[in-house]
Amino acid sequence: MTYHLDFDIDPKLYRRAITMPINPGTRPSRRMIIIRNVAAAILFPLSLAALAMAFFDFTALLPMLIGGLWGSGLVLAVWWRQHQVQVRLHNTYNETGGRQTVRIEAKGIEASRPFIRTWIDWPFVKQIRPIEGATLIELPTARLIVPDDALSEGPDPAAFQTQLEDWRSA
């Protein structure tokens, strides 16, 4: 059996698919997140204090603390800016990238869009997951989205996902 699918991805579906957690169910608890943040807030100034006492006069602590916080903020600001640029580029390409054509068979997956064509062997596929309105094919470096609407003349999404999982685990 081979699936030949030709579809556009709705921008809302695209956003939902790329923002899904990588490993669902493995998110740290709220309590653990708070503990980590508090520990970082305490350990960062303490490490600067230890550095100031070891190498400098203790009066250098305040300038070191201010410099460390300023530097950390600068690194986060640069990272956030780059992240926003990448997200905007992904969104722009998704909105103007054209139709996606996917051929899925027992040997693997061939996916193409204008300017991009790729072949994926099943051992490279990490996971097949259902999400609202689509099937998500997770790779170590990307995610392929197959909207449920693309299966209009084929099996229902659950049967499609079962078939893909059978090929992946074979």
Side-chain angles (χ1 to χ4, degrees), residues 94-160:
N94 185 55
E95 291 170 5
T96 61
R99 293 190 66 77
Q100 181 158 341
T101 304
V102 178
R103 183 173 53 106
I104 305 173
E105 57 188 27
K107 293 188 292 185
I109 303 168
E110 181 182 7
S112 62
R113 288 179 85 165
F115 311 114
I116 298 174
R117 178 164 303 190
T118 187
W119 173 261
I120 302 152
D121 290 318
W122 286 110
F124 194 66
V125 176
K126 275 179 42 180
Q127 186 177 19
I128 308 291
R129 281 203 285 173
I131 63 170
E132 183 185 335
T135 298
L136 193 61
I137 302 171
E138 290 201 47
L139 311 172
T141 57
R143 292 176 170 181
L144 293 177
I145 306 158
V146 179
D148 291 344
D149 297 345
L151 303 171
S152 60
E153 297 179 16
D156 67 338
F160 175 67

Short mmCIF file of all heavy atoms in Angstrom, two decimals, residues 94-160:
data_model
loop_
_atom_site.label_atom_id
_atom_site.label_comp_id
_atom_site.label_asym_id
_atom_site.label_seq_id
_atom_site.Cartn_x
_atom_site.Cartn_y
_atom_site.Cartn_z
N ASN A 94 5.82 28.82 5.49
CA ASN A 94 4.63 27.98 5.55
C ASN A 94 3.47 28.62 4.82
O ASN A 94 2.69 27.95 4.16
CB ASN A 94 4.25 27.70 7.00
CG ASN A 94 3.09 26.74 7.08
OD1 ASN A 94 3.15 25.65 6.53
ND2 ASN A 94 2.03 27.16 7.70
N GLU A 95 3.34 29.95 4.94
CA GLU A 95 2.22 30.63 4.28
C GLU A 95 2.42 30.75 2.77
O GLU A 95 1.46 30.84 2.04
CB GLU A 95 2.04 32.02 4.89
CG GLU A 95 1.53 31.96 6.32
CD GLU A 95 1.56 33.30 7.02
OE1 GLU A 95 1.90 34.32 6.37
OE2 GLU A 95 1.27 33.32 8.22
N THR A 96 3.65 30.75 2.30
CA THR A 96 3.90 30.94 0.87
C THR A 96 4.63 29.77 0.24
O THR A 96 5.03 29.84 -0.90
CB THR A 96 4.75 32.21 0.65
OG1 THR A 96 6.00 32.04 1.32
CG2 THR A 96 4.06 33.44 1.17
N GLY A 97 4.81 28.70 0.98
CA GLY A 97 5.65 27.60 0.53
C GLY A 97 5.04 26.71 -0.52
O GLY A 97 5.72 25.87 -1.09
N GLY A 98 3.76 26.87 -0.81
CA GLY A 98 3.14 26.04 -1.83
C GLY A 98 2.65 24.71 -1.28
O GLY A 98 2.75 24.42 -0.10
N ARG A 99 2.11 23.93 -2.19
CA ARG A 99 1.55 22.65 -1.79
C ARG A 99 2.64 21.66 -1.40
O ARG A 99 3.74 21.69 -1.92
CB ARG A 99 0.71 22.07 -2.92
CG ARG A 99 -0.53 22.92 -3.18
CD ARG A 99 -1.50 22.28 -4.11
NE ARG A 99 -2.14 21.07 -3.63
CZ ARG A 99 -3.14 21.04 -2.74
NH1 ARG A 99 -3.56 22.15 -2.19
NH2 ARG A 99 -3.70 19.90 -2.41
N GLN A 100 2.27 20.80 -0.49
CA GLN A 100 3.18 19.75 -0.06
C GLN A 100 2.68 18.44 -0.66
O GLN A 100 1.50 18.15 -0.64
CB GLN A 100 3.22 19.67 1.46
CG GLN A 100 4.17 18.62 1.95
CD GLN A 100 4.62 18.88 3.37
OE1 GLN A 100 4.51 19.97 3.87
NE2 GLN A 100 5.14 17.85 4.00
N THR A 101 3.61 17.67 -1.18
CA THR A 101 3.30 16.35 -1.72
C THR A 101 4.06 15.32 -0.91
O THR A 101 5.26 15.46 -0.70
CB THR A 101 3.72 16.27 -3.21
OG1 THR A 101 3.07 17.33 -3.92
CG2 THR A 101 3.34 14.94 -3.81
N VAL A 102 3.34 14.31 -0.46
CA VAL A 102 3.95 13.28 0.38
C VAL A 102 3.57 11.91 -0.18
O VAL A 102 2.41 11.66 -0.49
CB VAL A 102 3.48 13.39 1.85
CG1 VAL A 102 4.09 12.29 2.70
CG2 VAL A 102 3.83 14.75 2.42
N ARG A 103 4.58 11.07 -0.33
CA ARG A 103 4.35 9.67 -0.70
C ARG A 103 4.87 8.83 0.45
O ARG A 103 6.05 8.92 0.82
CB ARG A 103 5.08 9.32 -2.00
CG ARG A 103 4.80 7.90 -2.48
CD ARG A 103 5.41 7.66 -3.84
NE ARG A 103 6.81 8.01 -3.87
CZ ARG A 103 7.80 7.13 -3.88
NH1 ARG A 103 7.56 5.85 -3.89
NH2 ARG A 103 9.05 7.53 -3.92
N ILE A 104 3.98 8.04 1.03
CA ILE A 104 4.34 7.22 2.19
C ILE A 104 4.11 5.76 1.82
O ILE A 104 3.03 5.40 1.36
CB ILE A 104 3.50 7.60 3.42
CG1 ILE A 104 3.63 9.11 3.70
CG2 ILE A 104 3.92 6.79 4.63
CD1 ILE A 104 2.72 9.61 4.80
N GLU A 105 5.14 4.96 2.05
CA GLU A 105 5.05 3.54 1.72
C GLU A 105 5.91 2.74 2.70
O GLU A 105 6.57 3.32 3.57
CB GLU A 105 5.48 3.28 0.28
CG GLU A 105 6.88 3.77 0.00
CD GLU A 105 7.24 3.69 -1.47
OE1 GLU A 105 6.35 3.77 -2.34
OE2 GLU A 105 8.44 3.53 -1.74
N ALA A 106 5.93 1.45 2.55
CA ALA A 106 6.68 0.58 3.46
C ALA A 106 8.17 0.88 3.47
O ALA A 106 8.85 0.67 4.48
CB ALA A 106 6.42 -0.89 3.12
N LYS A 107 8.72 1.39 2.35
CA LYS A 107 10.16 1.69 2.27
C LYS A 107 10.53 2.99 2.98
O LYS A 107 11.67 3.15 3.39
CB LYS A 107 10.60 1.76 0.81
CG LYS A 107 10.54 0.43 0.08
CD LYS A 107 11.16 0.52 -1.30
CE LYS A 107 10.32 1.42 -2.19
NZ LYS A 107 10.79 1.47 -3.58
N GLY A 108 9.58 3.92 3.07
CA GLY A 108 9.87 5.20 3.70
C GLY A 108 8.92 6.29 3.25
O GLY A 108 7.85 6.02 2.72
N ILE A 109 9.36 7.52 3.43
CA ILE A 109 8.53 8.70 3.15
C ILE A 109 9.29 9.62 2.21
O ILE A 109 10.47 9.93 2.44
CB ILE A 109 8.23 9.47 4.45
CG1 ILE A 109 7.54 8.57 5.47
CG2 ILE A 109 7.39 10.71 4.17
CD1 ILE A 109 7.47 9.17 6.86
N GLU A 110 8.62 10.05 1.16
CA GLU A 110 9.17 11.09 0.29
C GLU A 110 8.27 12.30 0.43
O GLU A 110 7.07 12.22 0.19
CB GLU A 110 9.20 10.64 -1.16
CG GLU A 110 9.79 11.70 -2.06
CD GLU A 110 9.79 11.32 -3.53
OE1 GLU A 110 9.21 10.27 -3.88
OE2 GLU A 110 10.36 12.07 -4.33
N ALA A 111 8.85 13.41 0.85
CA ALA A 111 8.09 14.64 1.04
C ALA A 111 8.71 15.74 0.20
O ALA A 111 9.94 15.83 0.11
CB ALA A 111 8.09 15.05 2.51
N SER A 112 7.86 16.55 -0.42
CA SER A 112 8.41 17.64 -1.22
C SER A 112 7.49 18.85 -1.18
O SER A 112 6.28 18.72 -1.03
CB SER A 112 8.63 17.19 -2.67
OG SER A 112 7.41 16.84 -3.26
N ARG A 113 8.12 19.99 -1.28
CA ARG A 113 7.48 21.29 -1.43
C ARG A 113 8.33 22.03 -2.45
O ARG A 113 9.43 21.57 -2.77
CB ARG A 113 7.52 22.06 -0.11
CG ARG A 113 6.58 21.50 0.94
CD ARG A 113 6.70 22.30 2.20
NE ARG A 113 5.82 23.46 2.14
CZ ARG A 113 5.49 24.18 3.20
NH1 ARG A 113 5.97 23.88 4.37
NH2 ARG A 113 4.70 25.21 3.09
N PRO A 114 7.89 23.15 -2.94
CA PRO A 114 8.76 23.89 -3.86
C PRO A 114 10.13 24.14 -3.21
O PRO A 114 10.21 24.55 -2.06
CB PRO A 114 8.00 25.20 -4.08
CG PRO A 114 6.56 24.82 -3.88
CD PRO A 114 6.58 23.79 -2.78
N PHE A 115 11.16 23.81 -3.92
CA PHE A 115 12.57 24.00 -3.52
C PHE A 115 13.07 22.98 -2.50
O PHE A 115 14.24 23.04 -2.12
CB PHE A 115 12.83 25.41 -2.97
CG PHE A 115 12.30 26.50 -3.85
CD1 PHE A 115 11.26 27.31 -3.43
CD2 PHE A 115 12.82 26.71 -5.11
CE1 PHE A 115 10.75 28.31 -4.24
CE2 PHE A 115 12.33 27.70 -5.93
CZ PHE A 115 11.29 28.49 -5.50
N ILE A 116 12.22 22.07 -2.03
CA ILE A 116 12.66 21.09 -1.03
C ILE A 116 12.12 19.72 -1.42
O ILE A 116 10.94 19.56 -1.72
CB ILE A 116 12.13 21.44 0.38
CG1 ILE A 116 12.67 22.77 0.85
CG2 ILE A 116 12.50 20.35 1.38
CD1 ILE A 116 12.08 23.24 2.16
N ARG A 117 12.99 18.73 -1.40
CA ARG A 117 12.58 17.34 -1.62
C ARG A 117 13.43 16.48 -0.70
O ARG A 117 14.64 16.65 -0.63
CB ARG A 117 12.79 16.92 -3.06
CG ARG A 117 12.42 15.46 -3.28
CD ARG A 117 12.26 15.19 -4.72
NE ARG A 117 11.24 16.14 -5.16
CZ ARG A 117 10.65 16.12 -6.33
NH1 ARG A 117 10.99 15.21 -7.19
NH2 ARG A 117 9.76 17.00 -6.69
N THR A 118 12.79 15.57 0.01
CA THR A 118 13.54 14.75 0.95
C THR A 118 13.00 13.33 0.99
O THR A 118 11.81 13.11 0.76
CB THR A 118 13.53 15.37 2.36
OG1 THR A 118 14.39 14.64 3.20
CG2 THR A 118 12.14 15.36 2.96
N TRP A 119 13.90 12.39 1.26
CA TRP A 119 13.53 10.99 1.43
C TRP A 119 13.87 10.61 2.86
O TRP A 119 14.96 10.91 3.35
CB TRP A 119 14.28 10.09 0.46
CG TRP A 119 14.03 8.65 0.75
CD1 TRP A 119 14.84 7.79 1.45
CD2 TRP A 119 12.87 7.89 0.41
NE1 TRP A 119 14.25 6.56 1.55
CE2 TRP A 119 13.03 6.60 0.92
CE3 TRP A 119 11.70 8.21 -0.28
CZ2 TRP A 119 12.08 5.61 0.76
CZ3 TRP A 119 10.75 7.20 -0.44
CH2 TRP A 119 10.94 5.93 0.07
N ILE A 120 12.94 9.96 3.54
CA ILE A 120 13.12 9.59 4.94
C ILE A 120 12.91 8.09 5.09
O ILE A 120 11.84 7.57 4.74
CB ILE A 120 12.12 10.34 5.84
CG1 ILE A 120 12.31 11.85 5.66
CG2 ILE A 120 12.27 9.93 7.29
CD1 ILE A 120 11.09 12.66 5.91
N ASP A 121 13.93 7.40 5.58
CA ASP A 121 13.78 5.98 5.89
C ASP A 121 13.10 5.84 7.25
O ASP A 121 13.28 6.68 8.13
CB ASP A 121 15.16 5.30 5.93
CG ASP A 121 15.79 5.19 4.55
OD1 ASP A 121 15.06 4.87 3.60
OD2 ASP A 121 17.01 5.42 4.45
N TRP A 122 12.36 4.76 7.43
CA TRP A 122 11.60 4.57 8.67
C TRP A 122 12.45 4.56 9.93
O TRP A 122 12.00 5.08 10.96
CB TRP A 122 10.74 3.31 8.58
CG TRP A 122 9.55 3.51 7.69
CD1 TRP A 122 9.34 2.95 6.48
CD2 TRP A 122 8.44 4.37 7.94
NE1 TRP A 122 8.16 3.42 5.94
CE2 TRP A 122 7.58 4.29 6.83
CE3 TRP A 122 8.08 5.22 8.98
CZ2 TRP A 122 6.39 5.00 6.74
CZ3 TRP A 122 6.90 5.93 8.90
CH2 TRP A 122 6.06 5.83 7.78
N PRO A 123 13.66 4.04 9.94
CA PRO A 123 14.45 4.10 11.19
C PRO A 123 14.73 5.52 11.67
O PRO A 123 15.02 5.74 12.84
CB PRO A 123 15.75 3.37 10.83
CG PRO A 123 15.37 2.44 9.73
CD PRO A 123 14.32 3.18 8.94
N PHE A 124 14.66 6.49 10.77
CA PHE A 124 14.89 7.89 11.14
C PHE A 124 13.68 8.52 11.83
O PHE A 124 13.80 9.55 12.48
CB PHE A 124 15.28 8.70 9.90
CG PHE A 124 15.86 10.05 10.20
CD1 PHE A 124 17.08 10.17 10.85
CD2 PHE A 124 15.19 11.20 9.83
CE1 PHE A 124 17.63 11.42 11.12
CE2 PHE A 124 15.73 12.45 10.09
CZ PHE A 124 16.95 12.56 10.74
N VAL A 125 12.51 7.91 11.69
CA VAL A 125 11.28 8.45 12.29
C VAL A 125 11.26 8.09 13.77
O VAL A 125 11.35 6.93 14.14
CB VAL A 125 10.03 7.90 11.58
CG1 VAL A 125 8.76 8.36 12.26
CG2 VAL A 125 10.03 8.31 10.11
N LYS A 126 11.16 9.13 14.62
CA LYS A 126 11.15 8.91 16.07
C LYS A 126 9.78 8.44 16.56
O LYS A 126 9.69 7.57 17.41
CB LYS A 126 11.48 10.21 16.81
CG LYS A 126 12.94 10.46 16.97
CD LYS A 126 13.24 11.76 17.70
CE LYS A 126 12.35 12.01 18.89
NZ LYS A 126 12.64 13.26 19.59
N GLN A 127 8.73 9.07 16.05
CA GLN A 127 7.41 8.82 16.61
C GLN A 127 6.32 9.25 15.63
O GLN A 127 6.50 10.18 14.85
CB GLN A 127 7.29 9.62 17.92
CG GLN A 127 6.06 9.37 18.72
CD GLN A 127 6.09 10.16 20.03
OE1 GLN A 127 6.83 11.12 20.18
NE2 GLN A 127 5.26 9.77 20.97
N ILE A 128 5.19 8.55 15.69
CA ILE A 128 3.99 8.94 14.96
C ILE A 128 2.97 9.34 16.03
O ILE A 128 2.68 8.55 16.92
CB ILE A 128 3.41 7.76 14.13
CG1 ILE A 128 4.47 7.11 13.25
CG2 ILE A 128 2.18 8.19 13.35
CD1 ILE A 128 4.97 7.95 12.12
N ARG A 129 2.45 10.57 15.95
CA ARG A 129 1.53 11.05 16.98
C ARG A 129 0.30 11.68 16.36
O ARG A 129 0.40 12.43 15.40
CB ARG A 129 2.17 12.14 17.82
CG ARG A 129 3.10 11.70 18.83
CD ARG A 129 3.23 12.72 19.92
NE ARG A 129 4.03 13.87 19.53
CZ ARG A 129 4.14 14.94 20.29
NH1 ARG A 129 3.51 15.04 21.42
NH2 ARG A 129 4.89 15.95 19.90
N PRO A 130 -0.86 11.42 16.95
CA PRO A 130 -2.04 12.18 16.54
C PRO A 130 -2.06 13.53 17.26
O PRO A 130 -1.69 13.61 18.44
CB PRO A 130 -3.19 11.30 17.00
CG PRO A 130 -2.66 10.55 18.17
CD PRO A 130 -1.19 10.36 17.91
N ILE A 131 -2.40 14.57 16.54
CA ILE A 131 -2.69 15.86 17.16
C ILE A 131 -4.03 16.30 16.61
O ILE A 131 -4.55 15.69 15.67
CB ILE A 131 -1.59 16.92 16.89
CG1 ILE A 131 -1.49 17.23 15.40
CG2 ILE A 131 -0.25 16.48 17.44
CD1 ILE A 131 -0.61 18.44 15.10
N GLU A 132 -4.59 17.31 17.17
CA GLU A 132 -5.90 17.77 16.72
C GLU A 132 -5.85 18.19 15.26
O GLU A 132 -5.15 19.12 14.89
CB GLU A 132 -6.36 18.94 17.58
CG GLU A 132 -7.74 19.44 17.23
CD GLU A 132 -8.12 20.68 18.01
OE1 GLU A 132 -7.58 20.89 19.12
OE2 GLU A 132 -8.96 21.45 17.51
N GLY A 133 -6.53 17.43 14.40
CA GLY A 133 -6.61 17.77 12.98
C GLY A 133 -5.52 17.23 12.10
O GLY A 133 -5.49 17.53 10.91
N ALA A 134 -4.60 16.44 12.64
CA ALA A 134 -3.49 15.97 11.81
C ALA A 134 -2.77 14.79 12.46
O ALA A 134 -3.00 14.45 13.61
CB ALA A 134 -2.49 17.10 11.59
N THR A 135 -1.89 14.20 11.65
CA THR A 135 -0.93 13.21 12.13
C THR A 135 0.44 13.86 12.09
O THR A 135 0.81 14.46 11.08
CB THR A 135 -0.94 11.95 11.23
OG1 THR A 135 -2.25 11.37 11.28
CG2 THR A 135 0.10 10.95 11.68
N LEU A 136 1.17 13.74 13.19
CA LEU A 136 2.49 14.35 13.30
C LEU A 136 3.53 13.24 13.19
O LEU A 136 3.51 12.28 13.94
CB LEU A 136 2.59 15.05 14.65
CG LEU A 136 3.74 16.00 14.87
CD1 LEU A 136 3.69 17.15 13.87
CD2 LEU A 136 3.69 16.54 16.28
N ILE A 137 4.41 13.36 12.19
CA ILE A 137 5.50 12.41 12.01
C ILE A 137 6.75 13.11 12.52
O ILE A 137 7.24 14.05 11.90
CB ILE A 137 5.65 12.01 10.53
CG1 ILE A 137 4.35 11.40 10.02
CG2 ILE A 137 6.82 11.05 10.35
CD1 ILE A 137 4.31 11.16 8.53
N GLU A 138 7.24 12.65 13.67
CA GLU A 138 8.38 13.31 14.31
C GLU A 138 9.69 12.68 13.89
O GLU A 138 9.86 11.48 13.97
CB GLU A 138 8.24 13.25 15.83
CG GLU A 138 7.13 14.11 16.32
CD GLU A 138 7.27 14.47 17.77
OE1 GLU A 138 8.39 14.88 18.18
OE2 GLU A 138 6.29 14.34 18.49
N LEU A 139 10.60 13.54 13.46
CA LEU A 139 11.96 13.15 13.10
C LEU A 139 12.89 13.79 14.13
O LEU A 139 12.49 14.70 14.84
CB LEU A 139 12.28 13.67 11.70
CG LEU A 139 11.25 13.38 10.61
CD1 LEU A 139 11.61 14.10 9.34
CD2 LEU A 139 11.14 11.90 10.39
N PRO A 140 14.12 13.35 14.21
CA PRO A 140 15.03 14.00 15.16
C PRO A 140 15.26 15.48 14.85
O PRO A 140 15.57 16.26 15.74
CB PRO A 140 16.33 13.22 15.00
CG PRO A 140 15.92 11.90 14.49
CD PRO A 140 14.72 12.15 13.63
N THR A 141 15.09 15.87 13.60
CA THR A 141 15.41 17.25 13.21
C THR A 141 14.22 18.05 12.70
O THR A 141 14.38 19.23 12.39
CB THR A 141 16.47 17.24 12.11
OG1 THR A 141 15.97 16.47 11.01
CG2 THR A 141 17.77 16.64 12.60
N ALA A 142 13.06 17.46 12.59
CA ALA A 142 11.91 18.16 12.01
C ALA A 142 10.63 17.42 12.35
O ALA A 142 10.65 16.36 12.96
CB ALA A 142 12.07 18.28 10.49
N ARG A 143 9.53 17.99 11.89
CA ARG A 143 8.22 17.36 12.04
C ARG A 143 7.47 17.45 10.70
O ARG A 143 7.42 18.52 10.11
CB ARG A 143 7.40 18.08 13.11
CG ARG A 143 7.96 17.89 14.49
CD ARG A 143 7.20 18.68 15.51
NE ARG A 143 7.63 18.28 16.84
CZ ARG A 143 7.15 18.76 17.94
NH1 ARG A 143 6.20 19.67 17.90
NH2 ARG A 143 7.59 18.34 19.10
N LEU A 144 6.94 16.33 10.27
CA LEU A 144 6.09 16.33 9.08
C LEU A 144 4.65 16.32 9.56
O LEU A 144 4.28 15.55 10.44
CB LEU A 144 6.35 15.10 8.22
CG LEU A 144 7.71 15.00 7.56
CD1 LEU A 144 7.82 13.68 6.79
CD2 LEU A 144 7.92 16.15 6.61
N ILE A 145 3.84 17.16 8.94
CA ILE A 145 2.44 17.29 9.33
C ILE A 145 1.59 16.77 8.19
O ILE A 145 1.72 17.22 7.05
CB ILE A 145 2.10 18.77 9.60
CG1 ILE A 145 3.08 19.37 10.61
CG2 ILE A 145 0.66 18.91 10.06
CD1 ILE A 145 3.16 20.87 10.54
N VAL A 146 0.72 15.80 8.49
CA VAL A 146 -0.22 15.30 7.49
C VAL A 146 -1.62 15.62 8.00
O VAL A 146 -2.13 14.96 8.91
CB VAL A 146 -0.06 13.78 7.27
CG1 VAL A 146 -1.07 13.29 6.25
CG2 VAL A 146 1.36 13.44 6.85
N PRO A 147 -2.27 16.65 7.42
CA PRO A 147 -3.61 17.01 7.88
C PRO A 147 -4.60 15.87 7.64
O PRO A 147 -4.51 15.14 6.66
CB PRO A 147 -3.96 18.23 7.02
CG PRO A 147 -2.68 18.71 6.45
CD PRO A 147 -1.78 17.53 6.36
N ASP A 148 -5.55 15.74 8.56
CA ASP A 148 -6.59 14.72 8.40
C ASP A 148 -7.37 14.92 7.10
O ASP A 148 -7.81 13.95 6.48
CB ASP A 148 -7.55 14.74 9.59
CG ASP A 148 -6.88 14.27 10.88
OD1 ASP A 148 -5.80 13.65 10.80
OD2 ASP A 148 -7.45 14.53 11.96
N ASP A 149 -7.52 16.17 6.66
CA ASP A 149 -8.23 16.46 5.42
C ASP A 149 -7.55 15.84 4.20
O ASP A 149 -8.20 15.57 3.19
CB ASP A 149 -8.34 17.98 5.19
CG ASP A 149 -9.14 18.67 6.28
OD1 ASP A 149 -9.84 17.99 7.05
OD2 ASP A 149 -9.04 19.91 6.37
N ALA A 150 -6.24 15.62 4.27
CA ALA A 150 -5.50 15.04 3.15
C ALA A 150 -5.86 13.57 2.96
O ALA A 150 -5.59 12.99 1.91
CB ALA A 150 -4.00 15.19 3.37
N LEU A 151 -6.47 12.95 3.97
CA LEU A 151 -6.84 11.53 3.91
C LEU A 151 -8.29 11.35 3.47
O LEU A 151 -8.89 10.32 3.75
CB LEU A 151 -6.65 10.88 5.29
CG LEU A 151 -5.27 10.98 5.90
CD1 LEU A 151 -5.28 10.49 7.33
CD2 LEU A 151 -4.28 10.18 5.07
N SER A 152 -8.85 12.32 2.77
CA SER A 152 -10.28 12.31 2.45
C SER A 152 -10.72 11.05 1.70
O SER A 152 -11.83 10.57 1.90
CB SER A 152 -10.65 13.55 1.64
OG SER A 152 -9.91 13.58 0.43
N GLU A 153 -9.87 10.48 0.86
CA GLU A 153 -10.26 9.29 0.11
C GLU A 153 -9.60 8.03 0.62
O GLU A 153 -9.69 6.97 0.01
CB GLU A 153 -9.93 9.49 -1.37
CG GLU A 153 -10.70 10.64 -1.98
CD GLU A 153 -10.34 10.85 -3.43
OE1 GLU A 153 -9.73 9.96 -4.05
OE2 GLU A 153 -10.67 11.93 -3.95
N GLY A 154 -8.90 8.13 1.73
CA GLY A 154 -8.20 6.98 2.28
C GLY A 154 -8.81 6.55 3.60
O GLY A 154 -9.97 6.77 3.87
N PRO A 155 -7.98 5.95 4.44
CA PRO A 155 -8.47 5.48 5.73
C PRO A 155 -8.74 6.63 6.69
O PRO A 155 -8.35 7.76 6.44
CB PRO A 155 -7.31 4.61 6.23
CG PRO A 155 -6.10 5.27 5.65
CD PRO A 155 -6.55 5.75 4.29
N ASP A 156 -9.38 6.29 7.79
CA ASP A 156 -9.56 7.31 8.82
C ASP A 156 -8.19 7.57 9.49
O ASP A 156 -7.27 6.76 9.36
CB ASP A 156 -10.62 6.89 9.84
CG ASP A 156 -10.21 5.70 10.68
OD1 ASP A 156 -9.33 4.94 10.25
OD2 ASP A 156 -10.78 5.53 11.77
N PRO A 157 -8.03 8.70 10.18
CA PRO A 157 -6.72 9.03 10.75
C PRO A 157 -6.15 7.96 11.69
O PRO A 157 -4.94 7.71 11.67
CB PRO A 157 -6.99 10.34 11.50
CG PRO A 157 -8.13 10.95 10.76
CD PRO A 157 -8.99 9.80 10.32
N ALA A 158 -6.99 7.31 12.48
CA ALA A 158 -6.49 6.29 13.41
C ALA A 158 -5.89 5.10 12.64
O ALA A 158 -4.82 4.60 13.00
CB ALA A 158 -7.59 5.83 14.34
N ALA A 159 -6.56 4.65 11.59
CA ALA A 159 -6.06 3.54 10.79
C ALA A 159 -4.77 3.96 10.06
O ALA A 159 -3.83 3.17 9.93
CB ALA A 159 -7.10 3.08 9.79
N PHE A 160 -4.72 5.20 9.59
CA PHE A 160 -3.53 5.72 8.92
C PHE A 160 -2.35 5.72 9.88
O PHE A 160 -1.25 5.25 9.55
CB PHE A 160 -3.83 7.14 8.42
CG PHE A 160 -2.66 7.86 7.81
CD1 PHE A 160 -2.10 7.45 6.62
CD2 PHE A 160 -2.12 8.98 8.44
CE1 PHE A 160 -1.03 8.12 6.05
CE2 PHE A 160 -1.06 9.67 7.88
CZ PHE A 160 -0.51 9.23 6.68
#
